[in-house]
Amino acid sequence: MDQAYLSLERELAVFLRRARASSGEMARAVHPELEAAAYGLLVRLEDAGQQRATDLAAYFGVGKATMSRQLRALCELGLVTREPDPADGRASLVRITEEGRARFTRVRDARRAQYVRKLNDWDRGEVAELARLLHQLNASAEQ
């Protein structure tokens, strides 16, 4: 195997391990009972707006039952709500609540400030290049 791909695999493994730990910390900062996996749902709802549960499940590549369980927990914590979909009365749209948005925004802003501190000695062009490459990697993964 090419050394470049071995290095990529090793660095991504470390990065993902740290990201999972960080997601757990951020989830608990939003709400002490929030699961790490559900934090990503708040990110998606904040970025993309209200969505159907089936669309969220497809985006994250999980089953309907898993998505239903995570959304139920978020609803019980008052972080999201379900409303009837005006385009289809049989479906509902999930949206982040004002309390959920306030809690999420506080944690997200703290995380962004942490990135600024950690990458303070990087050239802004390097930060932009890293963002571009990660976007390219994520786009490749979606295909």
Side-chain angles (χ1 to χ4, degrees):
M1 168 82 40
D2 185 327
Q3 186 60 40
Y5 288 102
L6 292 173
S7 294
L8 174 64
E9 178 187 29
R10 182 176 45 256
E11 295 304 323
L12 279 176
V14 171
F15 180 79
L16 292 172
R17 195 168 32 253
R18 288 184 178 150
R20 277 191 293 277
S22 177
S23 285
E25 292 170 12
M26 290 184 294
R28 286 186 297 281
V30 169
H31 193 285
E33 297 174 37
L34 185 63
E35 292 181 24
Y39 180 81
L41 288 170
L42 294 177
V43 172
R44 179 66 179 166
L45 290 169
E46 179 65 16
D47 287 347
Q50 63 184 11
Q51 296 188 6
R52 289 182 177 186
T54 54
D55 294 334
L56 288 167
Y59 178 81
F60 287 103
V62 299
K64 291 178 186 178
T66 298
M67 183 55 57
S68 180
R69 183 183 57 77
Q70 289 179 348
L71 290 174
R72 186 171 39 258
L74 285 168
C75 284
E76 289 172 1
L77 296 174
L79 302 175
V80 301
T81 188
R82 292 177 187 247
E83 299 170 347
D85 184 347
D88 181 353
R90 300 168 297 166
S92 63
L93 294 172
V94 180
R95 72 168 179 79
I96 193 167
T97 63
E98 288 306 313
E99 179 179 352
R101 180 170 282 110
R103 288 171 173 257
F104 170 77
T105 300
R106 178 180 44 81
V107 172
R108 183 198 56 204
D109 291 349
R111 182 189 69 215
R112 287 178 177 171
Q114 206 174 43
Y115 287 151
V116 170
R117 283 191 305 276
K118 287 182 177 182
L119 301 177
N120 194 35
D121 60 340
W122 285 36
D123 177 87
R124 287 183 69 85
E126 291 174 323
V127 175
E129 180 66 2
L130 176 60
R132 185 189 72 75
L133 291 170
L134 287 171
H135 175 76
Q136 186 176 332
L137 179 64
N138 286 329
S140 296
E142 288 179 13
Q143 294 175 354

